[in-house]
Amino acid sequence: MSALSIFIDESGEFGTNSEYYLLTLVFHDQRQSVTSQVKRLDSLLEMAGLPNEKPIHTAPLIRKEESYFHLDLSARRQLFDKLFTFTRTVGIKYKTFVYRKREFSENYLLVNRIARDLASFLRDNLVYFQAFDNIITYYDGGQSEITQIIGVVFSASLFEVDYRKVKPIDYRLFQAADLLCYMELLTIKDEDKKLTKSKTLFFESRRRLIRTYLKAAWKLRFK
């Protein structure tokens, strides 16, 4: 039996508090175990004295918010780099749908567009998905619109889908999805020339952000 895990995360919301909306799907073939990589990441965090009891949440980590407020820049960079290395080498690929919300006059138009784009992506890659005996989606249920889209679109496009509501702390691959979603957010902000100094400071410079991190992340894009 072969199974495909799909970890789903988003950036933004359907109100007026964000300029962009991104939906990221991370794909993992369960025939390729990630147990050793997860244990290694946990061990590295423990040896470095970095937080390991909570999920690594990329946006507040970079912005020095929430549980990362007490960590200095060096510690936050270490935490990010260890998760980034795990993400880059664990054997996953991802697809991100990116939207500029100003292009949608009503929320329902954005929701409809996401559903259409996701359905089109699944249809275009149906041979890949049908090669698996089972597909398991993992989502934390953070936004009801996404929960509904996942249920309707996956059920209509694929035969065997198992839906699981999860907590980010339980899966490092869910945290990898969060990181990759944020990398794509930085990508579109850079395209729109809206990267802030605080974000480029975390990566030392815009040049290093692109050359060291974004380009490495882009290599994992689903093709």
Side-chain angles (χ1 to χ4, degrees):
M1 292 287 289
S2 60
L4 177 70
S5 296
I6 305 179
F7 294 85
I8 302 171
D9 196 30
E10 74 283 316
S11 176
E13 41 72 55
F14 289 97
T16 59
N17 294 326
S18 61
E19 187 174 359
Y20 304 97
Y21 194 90
L22 290 82
L23 182 68
T24 293
L25 284 65
V26 162
F27 307 98
H28 168 239
D29 184 342
Q30 289 191 5
R31 289 171 294 190
Q32 301 176 5
S33 174
V34 300
T35 301
S36 62
Q37 294 96 323
V38 170
K39 288 182 177 179
R40 175 172 172 76
L41 174 60
D42 291 344
S43 177
L44 290 172
L45 293 175
E46 184 177 354
M47 287 189 296
L50 296 169
N52 193 26
E53 72 281 2
K54 295 182 179 180
I56 303 174
H57 192 186
T58 301
L61 173 65
I62 290 176
R63 296 196 296 256
K64 194 178 171 66
E65 296 175 348
E66 299 176 6
S67 59
Y68 308 105
F69 183 77
H70 68 289
L71 295 179
D72 62 22
L73 180 58
S74 176
R76 289 185 291 118
R77 281 175 175 165
Q78 285 187 64
L79 192 54
F80 177 89
D81 283 344
K82 293 186 186 324
L83 180 61
F84 186 80
T85 298
F86 167 81
T87 300
R88 186 173 55 83
T89 59
V90 76
I92 57 177
K93 50 189 172 182
Y94 76 98
K95 170 68 177 180
T96 296
F97 302 91
V98 182
Y99 305 95
R100 295 174 175 86
K101 288 168 58 178
R102 64 177 179 271
E103 298 174 0
F104 302 89
S105 59
E106 299 289 345
N107 285 340
Y108 78 90
L109 296 174
L110 174 57
V111 172
N112 290 346
R113 174 66 179 277
I114 295 172
R116 289 200 307 271
D117 289 349
L118 177 57
S120 177
F121 170 75
L122 294 177
R123 286 195 304 270
D124 291 345
N125 297 280
L126 195 58
V127 172
Y128 170 79
F129 292 110
Q130 289 184 336
F132 296 91
D133 299 305
N134 192 25
I135 292 176
I136 308 168
T137 65
Y138 299 82
Y139 181 57
D140 63 1
Q143 297 186 16
S144 60
E145 294 90 345
I146 296 302
T147 299
Q148 293 174 6
I149 289 173
I150 293 170
V152 172
V153 174
F154 275 90
S155 296
S157 303
L158 304 170
F159 296 109
E160 297 292 336
V161 182
D162 182 10
Y163 304 97
R164 299 185 185 177
K165 183 177 179 180
V166 299
K167 297 179 181 179
I169 186 61
D170 294 333
Y171 295 94
R172 288 296 187 191
L173 291 181
F174 194 93
Q175 298 164 43
D178 173 74
L179 183 149
L180 290 168
C181 194
Y182 196 77
M183 290 293 98
E184 291 292 340
L185 177 63
L186 294 180
T187 298
I188 191 172
K189 284 189 172 183
D190 181 63
E191 291 175 359
D192 290 352
K193 302 187 184 305
K194 292 186 177 182
L195 274 180
T196 63
K197 289 183 178 180
S198 62
K199 290 184 177 62
T200 54
L201 175 64
F202 181 87
F203 298 97
E204 297 184 12
S205 67
R206 174 181 176 272
R207 177 184 175 86
R208 187 166 185 269
L209 165 63
I210 296 174
R211 292 173 63 92
T212 303
Y213 295 99
L214 294 184
K215 287 188 176 180
W218 297 340
K219 291 180 180 179
L220 303 179
R221 286 173 171 171
F222 189 99
K223 298 179 181 178

